[in-house]
Amino acid sequence: MRGSGLPIREGTPLLLTVSGLIDGRPWRAEPIDEREVRALARHLIAACFVVVAYLSGMRPGEVLSLERGCLRRDPDTGMLLISGRHWKGVRDDTGDHNPHGEVRPDPWVVTEPVAAAIDVLQSLHDESLLFPNRLGARADSAQRFRDGRSSTTGRVSRDLDALRDWVNHYCEATGRSDTIPIDPEQRSIQPRQFRRTLAWFIARKPRGIVAAAIQYGHLKVQMTVGYAGTYACGFPDELAFEELLARLDNLAEAHQRLTSGEHVSGPAAELYRDRVHNAQRFTGHVLATHRDARKLYTNPDLQIFPGVGMTCVFDPQRAACRFSRDDTDSRRTPDLSDCQPYCANIARTDGDIDVLREHVQRLAQLVDDPLAPEPRTQRDRHELRRLRTMVLDHDNGRTAPHD
Ligand code: SF4
């Protein structure tokens, strides 16, 4: 045959059309070969794990125990809900930790990408667990699998590393720059990192939880403050910790800006300067207990919340918004989405004023639009005057003695 001169293709190509697209083009030109299937399927499962773990806030063990049929759409709200088991704080009749966990009373609220990942897993294999420890018959290996069990966090970690390496090889071979960087301090990806990453993003976005809803598109705020956000599931504590770290980062940056001559205006400007200055004493502070963390979290000097075009120097006694509190009333936070322009807690940094200047420019264009309805133009003119006054007051205040 080889001597016939006819071109011969090695392997057994699958009779499937490659339908996955990257930047609108098929991700590969060649058909998938039968010998590649098992490795690609494992990469696909690892990718599904990333989507589910990152966008749901579930713990790794909770993701790994998800079963076929766990996803449903609530007929009244249209929300996508996942039922699953949880273990934290679950005890049996004798008060001992129950190793089997229990079905969570509240489902997780998830987004369409999570639903798509679950659909992929359900069509990829016939196992009852979505992340099985085995994938199809494996006649070519003496390796034994524990049938009917889920994958383990160790196995998932190895699969995540393999997925990262595969993506990086693919990028290299196709000239792409969107590689997955390897963390020099922890080369191996740990499944628990995704939950923490989600909390990191939520905490560091302006307007916190509200921004989480924006960041994740149609993700419902309930994900962080409702179903997945009950204290029993622990996620708010992780979120609170990330919020605290984000707040310390913000304060360190604010201190740097102040010492470089940043001007601050507004009714709470003096208090802002004092708090930013005082907060520097927490640098290098060691938190040994939950009590330490809670005390630090509620320290008045750390109650500074950057908003859009303003900074809230939060004092609950003077707050003009409906601030929220946690179940023990010790963690009170302002509702920046309900910020009232006359509130005595408002300070404006140079950065905030830059945001207001942009807003002024946009409004100035809108009020010049001859086709705009008159009531709207009047509202915009009033807002424009208000913002211009703030910017002017800020700029004039630069000559004040504390600058
Ligand atoms: S109204 Fe605005 S400035 Fe006042 S406490 Fe609420 S968020 Fe902070």
Side-chain angles (χ1 to χ4, degrees):
M1 234 353 225
R2 282 189 190 278
S4 71
L6 292 173
I8 296 176
R9 187 190 188 287
E10 300 283 343
T12 318
L14 300 188
L15 298 175
L16 294 172
T17 310
V18 173
S19 57
L21 304 177
I22 298 181
D23 294 340
R25 301 169 64 172
W27 68 277
R28 61 187 272 163
E30 289 287 300
I32 295 172
D33 194 274
E34 194 272 336
R35 290 167 299 180
E36 299 174 86
V37 168
R38 185 178 295 276
L40 286 176
R42 286 238 73 98
H43 295 328
L44 188 54
I45 291 177
C48 290
F49 181 91
V50 173
V51 173
V52 177
Y54 178 48
L55 291 179
S56 71
M58 290 180 202
R59 291 190 171 82
E62 292 164 346
V63 178
L64 292 179
S65 64
L66 290 178
E67 293 176 13
R68 183 172 291 278
C70 62
L71 180 78
R72 67 187 161 88
R73 194 182 282 274
D74 185 280
D76 299 326
T77 62
M79 284 199 277
L80 289 161
L81 306 174
I82 291 186
S83 312
R85 303 187 85 76
H86 73 133
W87 285 266
K88 188 165 185 199
V90 179
R91 312 216 162 264
D92 61 20
D93 295 342
T94 61
D96 290 338
H97 175 69
N98 183 347
H100 304 296
E102 66 179 16
V103 173
R104 272 168 58 100
D106 296 320
W108 284 280
V109 180
V110 294
T111 53
E112 295 288 350
V114 176
I118 288 176
D119 270 354
V120 166
L121 291 164
Q122 290 183 153
S123 49
L124 190 64
H125 58 74
D126 299 323
E127 306 293 331
S128 59
L129 287 160
L130 294 186
F131 295 92
N133 73 328
R134 63 185 285 278
L135 202 55
R138 190 163 178 173
D140 61 336
S141 162
Q143 194 173 352
R144 297 176 68 85
F145 293 96
R146 298 174 301 159
D147 287 297
R149 301 274 180 93
S150 73
S151 191
T152 61
T153 49
R155 172 74 199 246
V156 171
S157 178
R158 289 195 294 280
D159 286 348
L160 291 169
D161 290 346
L163 172 65
R164 174 198 60 202
D165 295 345
W166 182 87
V167 168
N168 289 344
H169 285 143
Y170 181 87
C171 287
E172 202 184 315
T174 54
R176 298 185 65 91
S177 58
D178 41 355
T179 52
I180 303 174
I182 296 177
D183 182 346
E185 288 177 18
Q186 186 176 279
R187 295 185 67 81
S188 189
I189 303 170
Q190 300 304 311
R192 65 173 185 279
Q193 282 174 248
F194 296 101
R195 188 172 146 96
R196 198 62 200 281
T197 309
L198 176 64
W200 191 94
F201 270 111
I202 291 173
R204 278 167 173 73
K205 280 278 159 187
R207 301 169 71 213
I209 285 170
V210 175
I214 299 163
Q215 156 125 1
Y216 296 104
H218 53 281
L219 181 72
K220 297 283 184 278
V221 175
Q222 281 97 320
M223 191 188 132
T224 49
V225 296
Y227 294 102
T230 56
Y231 274 79
C233 85
F235 188 73
D237 278 342
E238 240 147 307
L239 184 54
F241 182 61
E242 286 296 344
E243 272 175 0
L244 178 61
L245 295 181
R247 229 186 282 171
L248 292 171
D249 280 357
N250 280 334
L251 282 164
E253 283 166 22
H255 186 252
Q256 211 163 18
R257 287 195 305 268
L258 272 186
T259 46
S260 316
E262 183 175 51
H263 176 55
V264 185
S265 59
E270 198 59 49
L271 191 57
Y272 173 88
R273 278 187 283 267
D274 287 348
R275 285 190 182 178
V276 169
H277 177 72
N278 293 340
Q280 301 317 302
R281 70 180 187 277
F282 297 117
T283 308
H285 201 79
V286 176
L287 301 176
T289 63
H290 278 121
R291 206 162 149 262
D292 286 352
R294 190 168 277 270
K295 230 168 111 189
L296 184 63
Y297 198 94
T298 54
N299 187 295
D301 286 334
L302 299 187
Q303 307 311 309
I304 291 184
F305 300 84
V308 179
M310 53 74 69
T311 299
C312 174
V313 189
F314 186 55
D315 173 353
Q317 306 297 330
R318 309 193 303 169
C321 61
R322 299 174 311 257
F323 55 86
S324 62
R325 31 182 104 209
D326 73 358
D327 50 358
T328 62
D329 198 28
S330 62
R331 281 206 305 241
R332 287 181 284 187
T333 47
D335 181 356
L336 289 161
S337 66
D338 179 42
C339 185
Q340 305 297 320
Y342 54 84
C343 182
N345 289 340
I346 291 179
R348 293 184 198 93
T349 63
D350 283 343
D352 293 329
I353 293 295
D354 285 346
V355 172
L356 295 188
R357 279 188 226 279
E358 281 171 24
H359 201 165
V360 162
Q361 269 182 7
R362 275 199 304 274
L363 276 180
Q365 282 171 359
L366 285 179
V367 298
D368 282 348
D369 180 357
L371 299 176
E374 189 51 26
R376 197 192 80 188
T377 306
Q378 275 186 17
R379 264 200 322 273
D380 288 347
R381 270 205 199 100
H382 179 265
E383 181 64 0
L384 186 57
R385 271 198 299 275
R386 195 179 72 82
L387 295 182
R388 277 184 170 148
T389 306
M390 278 184 217
V391 174
L392 210 63
D393 286 351
H394 183 86
D395 289 344
N396 290 341
R398 277 181 202 286
T399 52
H402 46 244
D403 291 319

